[in-house]
Structures are given as structure tokens and as C-alpha cells.
Amino acid sequence: MPKYTKKNLSDEAFERLGEQFKAFSEPMRLRLIYALMDGEKTVSELVKETGGLQANVSKHLRMLLEAGIVERRKQGLNSYYSIADPSIFELCDLMCNSIRGRLTAELDSFSAARSSATA
Amino acid sequence: MPKYTKKNLSDEAFERLGEQFKAFSEPMRLRLIYALMDGEKTVSELVKETGGLQANVSKHLRMLLEAGIVERRKQGLNSYYSIADPSIFELCDLMCNSIRGRLTAELDSFSAARSSATA
DNA sequence: ATATACTATTACTCTATAGTAATGTGCTTG
DNA sequence: CAAGCACATTACTATAGAGTAATAGTATAT
């Protein structure tokens, strides 16, 4: 028996994973998630903060809601949205670091080129 | 001065982040990434393993390449692809756990409903 | 009841891209 | 060099979804 066996992922698992990643794949939705890192906010607040149109913000919030990324609480005239799953912060951090890592590597390669050119 | 100030993300940062997430948002690309977790493979091997058409596999590999997620090494007739950035494993794990967490919660709520119904 | 404010939905256009078939490109081998 | 193989690219169709304007719901206030 091997130390580590790669788990078999079903077709459904790949679909589900893809959908989840897709929820994070639009700048507007990332802006919304980012804005909600301060805590619960209303749609109007999010509209102001992201600079989007109300209809578009509502639509993206709906997608985030259906993806299970945010929660909604209705009170009076307002809908209050908040992050449903805190593990999202880690996820975004990790992705940011991954990008940063690659950019740093790229930057280093340029520096290396310059220093070997001037050496 | 506050303990923690949320970093300001530029429009470009949101775009870049979105693009990166988008690279992970298609089942076929996830299949390819998954297949490459064993290590370097040729296109033909990936075609067999994923069950996709060659043209489609090539196209998705190109996207992963441009996103910096995989690397390519050409030798003779073959192109050998491999994961470029190991932090991708963590990323996928985290996303899987996030999904698992929510499914577990959902499952629990059903169990709770049943046990309170039968209590 | 009427008016107003906040949010959600609908209908539309436009763009991006997934899948596919056909073709192109470049090695390699006889 | 001619044939064959691995891979990449192109051209096409079909679908999803982003942005937007207009409209519909729904709660509150007068």
C-alpha cells in the first residue's frame, strides 16, 4: 500500500470545484468580497464602494449568494450581505501570494539580467 | 493608527486576481491540473487521462501556460507539461475543504432536522 | 392610499470561450 | 526527401455571462 494515493475525483467534483472558482473569477465579485471583509454591508453601500450600477451589484451578489460565499439578512428596506465562509480570506490570500511569487520571480529575472549585463 | 488597515487593491489587482481564478474555473482545466499532480506528462498522456479531444486539451494547456500555472518543455515530438507553481496544491486543497465544510454543514442541518423530528 | 426608498428582476446587447473538425507546423525515421 | 507522428492553430457554432436600462416588488413614511 502506497504512502499516498491520489484521491479519485468524480466528474461532479470537478464541476463543483470549477463553479466555486468561477465565483471568484470576476473583478466585480472580487471587489464585493473585498468590500465585505470589513463586515456586513447593504447593497447601497456596496454600490457606492464598488462604483458599479445597482442592478449589476445585485446580480453579482445573487451569484455569490448562490455559490455560498456570502449570506443575506433582510431588514426593513435593506438587504445586509456578509461573508458566509471565513476560509475565503485564506483562499484569496493564498492566490495573492501565488501571484506575488510569480511576479517576484519575473522581477528577479530582470534584475539578474541587468546585473549580469553590467557585471 | 489602527492595528490593521485593509490594503488598497488597484483595479489591475482585481483584474489579475480574477484572471487567475478563472484559470481554475473550468472542469477540463482542473482535470489537467489534477492529472499533472503526478508529475510531468505529455499531451497524448493527458488526452488519454482526461478523455478530451486533442485540440481541446491543447487549447486548455495553452491557457494554463499563459496563466503561469503550468510549464512546458519540448523534446523531440513531445511537449511535456508540468505544474509550475506548487502553491497550487494548497490552493486546490483549500477550495476543496471550503466546499466540504459547507456540504458538511448542510448535511448536519439535515441530520439535526431529523433528530429533532424524531426526538 | 400615495409617495418614496431600497433591492431584485427582466430583457437586451455584446463579448468571451468551450467544444469540435480541419488544417498547419515541426520532428524523426526509413 | 517522403511518410508519419505529436502537437498547435484556425475557423466555426453554441452557450454563458457581464453590463445596462427599464421595470417590478416590497417595506416605510406621510
Side-chain angles (χ1 to χ4, degrees):
Chain A
M1 179 175 164
K3 270 189 200 163
Y4 176 70
T5 37
K6 204 169 68 166
K7 211 185 307 186
N8 262 339
L9 293 191
S10 65
D11 288 3
E12 278 177 38
F14 283 119
E15 296 273 345
R16 188 82 162 77
L17 244 185
E19 280 170 26
Q20 203 63 33
F21 274 113
K22 192 181 300 184
F24 291 88
S25 75
E26 285 301 319
M28 187 47 152
R29 285 198 288 273
L30 290 173
R31 264 181 252 272
L32 290 168
I33 291 169
Y34 180 72
L36 290 174
M37 286 186 174
D38 302 333
E40 199 180 54
K41 291 184 182 169
T42 67
V43 177
S44 318
E45 287 172 324
L46 291 170
V47 166
K48 265 188 213 158
E49 195 162 339
T50 61
L53 292 190
Q54 183 265 322
N56 201 27
V57 168
S58 265
K59 205 170 63 171
H60 284 297
L61 285 171
R62 189 183 204 281
M63 296 178 82
L64 289 173
L65 188 64
E66 284 172 352
I69 294 170
V70 303
E71 286 174 342
R72 180 172 55 187
R73 178 175 71 85
K74 292 191 178 190
Q75 181 183 319
L77 286 176
N78 299 311
S79 288
Y80 292 86
Y81 284 90
S82 57
I83 302 288
D85 179 352
S87 74
I88 280 161
F89 299 135
E90 249 183 289
L91 194 74
C92 288
D93 263 12
L94 209 63
M95 189 60 103
C96 285
N97 289 336
S98 170
I99 294 174
R100 185 165 26 246
R102 271 174 264 165
L103 288 180
T104 304
E106 206 175 331
L107 191 62
D108 284 353
S109 75
F110 274 101
S111 305
R114 189 168 55 82
S115 67
S116 60
T118 58
Chain B
M1 179 173 160
K3 271 189 201 165
Y4 175 70
T5 36
K6 204 169 68 165
K7 210 185 309 186
N8 261 339
L9 293 191
S10 66
D11 288 1
E12 279 177 37
F14 283 120
E15 296 272 346
R16 187 83 163 74
L17 244 183
E19 281 171 24
Q20 202 64 33
F21 275 113
K22 191 182 299 182
F24 292 88
S25 74
E26 285 300 319
M28 188 46 154
R29 284 196 289 273
L30 290 173
R31 262 182 252 274
L32 289 168
I33 290 168
Y34 179 73
L36 289 174
M37 286 184 174
D38 302 332
E40 198 181 54
K41 291 184 183 169
T42 67
V43 177
S44 318
E45 288 172 325
L46 292 169
V47 166
K48 266 188 212 158
E49 196 163 339
T50 61
L53 292 191
Q54 182 265 321
N56 201 27
V57 168
S58 265
K59 205 169 63 171
H60 283 298
L61 285 171
R62 187 183 206 281
M63 297 179 82
L64 290 173
L65 189 64
E66 283 171 353
I69 293 169
V70 303
E71 286 174 341
R72 180 170 55 185
R73 176 175 74 84
K74 291 191 177 189
Q75 182 185 319
L77 286 174
N78 299 310
S79 288
Y80 293 87
Y81 284 89
S82 57
I83 302 287
D85 179 353
S87 74
I88 280 159
F89 299 135
E90 248 183 290
L91 195 75
C92 289
D93 262 12
L94 209 63
M95 189 60 104
C96 284
N97 288 337
S98 170
I99 295 173
R100 184 165 25 245
R102 271 174 263 165
L103 288 179
T104 303
E106 205 176 331
L107 191 62
D108 283 355
S109 75
F110 274 100
S111 304
R114 188 166 57 82
S115 67
S116 61
T118 57

